Amino acid sequence: MKAIKITADEIALLRKVAATREARADKLVADHGHGVRPSWVSAEIAAHGSSAENFSRAADEMQAEVIRAVASAEVLGPIAAAACHNVCLTLLHETINTTKEN
């Protein structure tokens, strides 16, 4: 399995896909209602909801890894921390700078 380097674009893409899946589920509910409906509709709603949760969870895990990399950067330095946590160095620097400003 190929490791994906964590970038801001990657996290944003996962959140966008999660929102799209959730919107598809919402559209099916709007089109077919909450009452009696074909079984395939219920299956699609469940599949889109589950997929949205998985993509959202993956984005959250990536964001948490960025936060762990920021903490490691204090000890290891930013380059080593980015490499250890598979985080894009640019994203790590942006996060560190944002954290310092707050």
Side-chain angles (χ1 to χ4, degrees), residues 19-94:
T20 300
R21 298 295 171 106
E22 194 65 41
R24 287 179 184 171
D26 291 344
K27 183 174 180 345
L28 285 169
V29 170
D31 291 347
H32 297 279
H34 291 282
V36 177
R37 56 186 172 220
S39 61
W40 70 267
V41 174
S42 296
E44 285 292 311
I45 291 169
H48 287 307
S50 176
S51 179
E53 282 182 33
N54 290 339
F55 281 110
S56 182
R57 189 176 314 115
D60 291 344
E61 288 173 5
M62 285 185 170
Q63 190 63 48
E65 192 64 27
V66 172
I67 300 304
R68 286 190 288 274
V70 168
S72 294
E74 294 178 13
V75 176
L76 302 174
I79 295 173
C84 289
H85 293 276
N86 202 29
V87 173
C88 173
L89 187 58
T90 304
L91 176 58
L92 182 59
H93 279 294
E94 289 172 357

